[in-house]
């Protein structure tokens, strides 16, 4: 029906008409941030920005507050990254605000820890050293960018006072007075009061004496009628503190006073450890006597049972001398590691020859081989009781 028809539902010309409207406020823009959680002073910080207007609108403003009191920075509205360099350490909150054409805003924040850059230091040196000798430590110290070294120290780890070095030092030396395992610590400080440390472990060993091979026992009556042992032998011994390789060395023999030069009795191989014996078996004068323990080297020379000259040489060629009628020159003498003249020998160490051995007695170096004053007469005595040849398997005798 007509709105104005003359019926019960006719509306007055003055009655209001109510119309319902569904009104919605415009949406806000959005902004989000990405970036590292920390940065060093003096290093550029990069901030990722994702800003977008609401649908149907556009961005009209974009700004960043870096949180360190610096001036608010206005960015182009299409900026996706911004950077900033902090000059002071501390915790800051970066704030970015986006504004759109409807004058609506959005804000996002990012917390960042600003730290001072760290200096660096490195050390290097040997992992071991002998007590009471000089230890060398190399040092490489680098301050943080824009800073400088204000202090450099070394703690040697052995209870000695911490040593202060020049700020420009690249090395330091120390002598450890006691054996043991120590940790050396080098520490640097820079102008920002930042510190850095580096360590080096070192083992301090006791003094090691070099290896020292000597002739420790001689027996020349092997196999003879009435002999205690079936073969002649020369026993060697390492009276030093380190193993010695004897490959290419030799035992040589010459008669006590004859004109013949030294001749090869046996060539040697292997090495002799500290306190170890080495048995060289030589010829036999017959089938009499007890057999020797397993020898470490063998030869066919038949030595005199009472008088003779034995040398240990660091070569395996015979010397062109005999020390008596043919004098050994300096070159020959340099090839002689040890010499034992016994009985009536005219070539020996010291003031007189070693005693005369017999069918039932060898000549023995004192202290089971440890005594060596370069004097045959005082270093050797004739054995008493059973003759005991010793080889590499015998019990070690470490010299003091």
């Amino acid at each position: 029906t007509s709105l104005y028809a003359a019926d019960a539902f006719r509306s007055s010309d003055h009655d209001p008409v109510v119309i319902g409207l569904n009104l919605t406020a415009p949406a806000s823009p959005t902004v989000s941030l990405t970036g590292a959680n920390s940065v060093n002073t003096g290093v550029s910080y990069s901030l990722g920005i994702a800003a977008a207007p609401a649908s149907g609108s556009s961005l009209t403003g974009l700004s960043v507050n870096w949180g360190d009191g610096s001036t608010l920075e206005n960015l182009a509205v299409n900026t996706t990254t911004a950077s900033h360099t902090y000059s002071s350490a501390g915790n800051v909150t970066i704030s970015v605000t986006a504004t759109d054409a409807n004058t609506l805003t959005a804000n996002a924040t990012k917390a960042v820890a600003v730290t001072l850059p760290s200096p660096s230091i490195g050390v290097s040196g040997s992992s071991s050293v002998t007590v009471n000798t000089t230890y060398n430590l190399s040092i490489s110290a680098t301050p943080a960018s824009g800073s400088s070294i204000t202090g450099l120290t070394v703690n040697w780890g052995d209870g000695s006072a911490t040593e202060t070095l020049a700020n420009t030092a690249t090395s330091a030396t120390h002598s450890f007075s006691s054996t043991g395992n120590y940790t050396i610590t080098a520490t640097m400080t820079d102008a920002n009061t930042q510190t850095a440390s580096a360590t080096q472990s070192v083992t301090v060993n006791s003094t090691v004496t070099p290896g020292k091979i000597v002739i420790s026992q001689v027996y020349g009556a092997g196999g003879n009628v009435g002999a205690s042992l079936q073969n002649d032998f020369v026993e060697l011994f390492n009276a030093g503190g380190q193993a010695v390789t004897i490959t290419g060395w030799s035992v040589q023999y010459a008669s006590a006073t004859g004109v013949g030069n030294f001749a090869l009795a046996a060539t040697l191989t292997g090495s002799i450890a500290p306190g170890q014996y080495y048995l060289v078996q030589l010829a036999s004068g017959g089938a009499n006597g007890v057999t020797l323990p397993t020898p470490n080297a063998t030869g066919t020379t038949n030595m005199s049972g009472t008088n003779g000259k034995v040398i240990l040489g660091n070569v395996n060629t015979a010397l062109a001398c005999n020390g008596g009628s043919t004098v050994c020159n300096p070159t020959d003498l340099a090839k002689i590691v040890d010499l034992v003249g016994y009985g009536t020998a005219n070539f020996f160490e010291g003031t007189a020859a070693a005693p005369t051995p017999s069918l039932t007695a060898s000549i023995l170096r004192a202290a089971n081989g440890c005594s060596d004053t370069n004097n045959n007469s005082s270093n050797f005595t004739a054995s008493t009781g059973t003759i005991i040849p010793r080889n590499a398997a015998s019990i070690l005798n470490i010299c003091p």
Side-chain angles (χ1 to χ4, degrees), residues 4-34:
Y4 296 103
D7 56 30
F9 300 103
R10 179 177 178 177
S11 175
S12 168
D13 292 342
H14 302 290
D15 288 343
V17 177
V18 178
I19 300 174
L21 298 176
N22 184 12
L23 300 177
T24 303
S28 297
T30 60
V31 63
S32 62
L33 307 177
T34 58

Side-chain angles (χ1 to χ4, degrees), residues 16-375:
V17 177
V18 178
I19 300 174
L21 298 176
N22 184 12
L23 300 177
T24 303
S28 297
T30 60
V31 63
S32 62
L33 307 177
T34 58
N37 295 326
S38 63
V39 67
N40 285 337
T41 58
V43 177
S44 179
Y45 180 82
S46 180
L47 180 70
I49 303 172
S55 177
S57 185
S58 60
L59 291 180
T60 58
L62 189 64
S63 63
V64 56
N65 182 333
W66 293 103
D68 60 349
S70 58
T71 303
L72 182 74
E73 184 178 353
N74 291 309
L75 308 173
V77 294
N78 61 347
T79 297
T80 57
T81 59
S83 60
H84 184 68
T85 301
Y86 291 94
S87 60
S88 300
N91 296 318
V92 300
T93 299
I94 303 170
S95 177
V96 173
T97 302
T99 306
D100 69 4
N102 296 321
T103 68
L104 296 177
T105 62
N107 183 262
T109 60
K110 173 69 178 176
V112 177
V114 182
T115 58
L116 292 170
S118 298
S120 63
I121 186 171
V123 294
S124 62
S126 175
S127 61
S128 63
V129 67
T130 301
V131 67
N132 295 321
T133 62
T134 300
Y135 181 84
N136 294 290
L137 182 72
S138 295
I139 303 171
S140 175
T142 305
S145 177
S147 187
S148 60
I149 299 174
T150 58
L152 187 60
T153 62
V154 175
N155 184 325
W156 294 101
D158 60 350
S160 59
T162 297
E163 183 177 353
T164 299
L165 308 176
N167 295 340
T168 56
T170 58
S171 64
T173 60
H174 185 67
S175 178
F176 292 91
S177 60
S178 299
T179 60
N181 297 313
Y182 302 102
T183 299
I184 304 168
T185 304
T187 303
M188 66 165 293
T189 306
D190 69 8
N192 295 324
T193 69
Q194 295 280 91
T195 63
S197 296
T199 60
Q200 171 70 45
S201 297
V202 59
T203 298
V204 180
N205 299 311
S206 58
T207 301
V208 177
T209 58
K212 181 180 181 181
I213 309 301
V214 296
I215 298 170
S216 53
Q217 188 171 189
V218 176
Y219 178 72
N224 295 342
V225 176
S228 296
L229 299 171
Q230 197 171 100
N231 288 82
D232 297 351
F233 73 86
V234 174
E235 180 189 277
L236 307 179
F237 174 68
N238 187 347
Q242 293 180 314
V244 177
T245 298
I246 58 171
T247 298
W249 288 22
S250 63
V251 170
Q252 301 187 26
Y253 175 77
S255 65
T257 58
V259 296
N261 292 335
F262 282 104
L264 287 178
T267 55
L268 312 179
T269 60
S271 65
I272 306 178
Q276 188 178 38
Y277 298 94
Y278 186 101
L279 183 62
V280 181
Q281 175 180 292
L282 299 176
S284 174
N288 302 293
V290 177
T291 57
L292 299 180
T294 302
N296 304 112
T298 59
T300 58
T301 296
N302 197 331
M303 299 192 300
S304 167
T306 53
N307 310 289
K309 296 174 290 197
V310 179
I311 66 167
L312 172 64
N314 56 17
V315 294
N316 58 10
T317 55
L319 271 60
C321 63
N322 57 34
S325 60
T326 304
V327 176
C328 295
N329 61 36
T331 300
D332 291 323
L333 292 174
K335 299 173 183 177
I336 299 175
V337 177
D338 197 21
L339 160 68
V340 177
Y342 59 96
T344 59
N346 58 10
F347 187 39
F348 43 80
E349 287 186 352
T351 58
T356 301
S358 68
L359 290 168
T360 58
S362 65
I363 52 170
L364 279 169
R365 184 179 292 274
N368 289 314
C370 292
S371 178
D372 183 24
T373 60
N374 296 315
N375 192 331

